[in-house]
Amino acid sequence: MSAAGAGGVLVAALVLTGGPAQAAEPGPAAGAGAAAAGAYKERTDTLPAERLTAEQRRLLADKSAAAKGAAQQSAAQRSAVRGDVGAAAIVSSGAVQQSQINSYYCGPATLVITQSARDEVGNRSQTQAGSELRTNSSGTAWYGINANVPNPTGYPIPDVLNHRLPGAGYVPKALPYTPSATDKANFRDHIVHNTSGDYAIAGNAWEVVGGPHLVGHPNREIFHWVSIDGHSDDGARTVQYRDPVGGVPTSVISWAGSVPRTATISSDTITTIMGGRGYVW
């Protein structure tokens, strides 16, 4: 597994092992913007072609249709009740943040955080989660690794979530390198759908130099998992996420001191950050 397909807190050109194979190519210039970041991802990606199972394709279509209908109903209710004025409040499924136990365990930490939104149990073993996800020093794969659970599909995070939460119906949603307006609108529908069902989303970030970054993250190339567990009640223009780097000692991750455990960010921005990978919802 190349780190380009992984989701550890991996930073190109740092000592952390398994830096992306494409790290030799300079990233976009600082402040180059989302389009340049997306072009860089497209040029340098080493992830093999992804394949959804027939069941995953069916589930994705069914959930997307349900989410679109629920979002339209929610918008109509919001307009009637609030008139779309006033400060937006955050609606959350209540995930419990855990700080990752080492520099490449954001995947296991995100998994247990995401699970906690549904069953409200925190402080699970990241080591056990890492074993089920087959996490290694390159991180936790977005795709291409069979999880240590029955009937794996090659997408370890949804496979382990579905094993731990029977009936949850988690499915991967891949994003293009430069997500479109439709991709961003769909993500807003999907976070509203999951939050209303008391579920969180596991997001696989691919941050690059010059592109947008998660709160407190440096302007470097970073592959990272976070748990997105809430949204603003103004049509999910803002989302809330739990970052497993928050609370990690700086002796483990040098820039962790600037990263909050819980943060909010524009839903469009985080969709762009997940471009080239995607999210599990």
Side-chain angles (χ1 to χ4, degrees), residues 27-41 175-179 184 204-224 226 241 243 255 264-276:
Y40 168 77
K41 292 178 181 181
L175 288 169
Y177 300 107
T178 304
K184 295 171 182 177
N204 196 192
W206 182 356
E207 303 169 276
V208 304
V209 174
H213 286 264
L214 298 170
V215 178
H217 287 214
N219 187 29
R220 301 174 182 175
E221 185 166 19
I222 302 170
F223 293 89
H224 188 45
V226 296
Y241 67 94
D243 193 330
W255 43 271
T264 58
I265 192 171
S266 159
S267 59
D268 288 357
T269 298
I270 200 168
T271 305
T272 298
I273 289 171
M274 295 185 294

Side-chain angles (χ1 to χ4, degrees), residues 49-115:
E50 301 176 39
R51 294 180 175 85
L52 294 177
T53 66
E55 174 61 16
Q56 286 172 327
R57 291 194 297 272
R58 182 198 65 78
L59 184 59
L60 182 59
D62 289 350
K63 290 184 70 173
S64 295
K68 179 63 68 178
Q72 291 172 346
Q73 182 178 16
S74 175
Q77 292 172 340
R78 184 177 66 251
S79 180
V81 173
R82 299 178 61 241
D84 283 335
V85 297
I90 294 293
V91 180
S92 175
S93 55
V96 182
Q97 194 268 359
Q98 282 188 225
S99 302
Q100 61 193 78
I101 60 176
N102 60 40
S103 63
Y104 55 89
Y105 252 49
C106 62
T110 291
L111 183 118
V112 297
I113 294 168
T114 302
Q115 183 181 352

Side-chain angles (χ1 to χ4, degrees), residues 86-154:
I90 294 293
V91 180
S92 175
S93 55
V96 182
Q97 194 268 359
Q98 282 188 225
S99 302
Q100 61 193 78
I101 60 176
N102 60 40
S103 63
Y104 55 89
Y105 252 49
C106 62
T110 291
L111 183 118
V112 297
I113 294 168
T114 302
Q115 183 181 352
S116 74
R118 179 61 179 173
D119 60 19
E120 300 179 355
V121 177
N123 300 319
R124 284 189 174 86
S125 167
Q126 293 180 33
T127 301
Q128 180 182 351
S131 176
E132 292 175 355
L133 293 166
R134 299 191 189 276
T135 298
N136 59 30
S137 60
S138 292
T140 301
W142 162 250
Y143 168 72
I145 296 294
N146 280 329
N148 187 22
V149 297
N151 305 312
T153 68

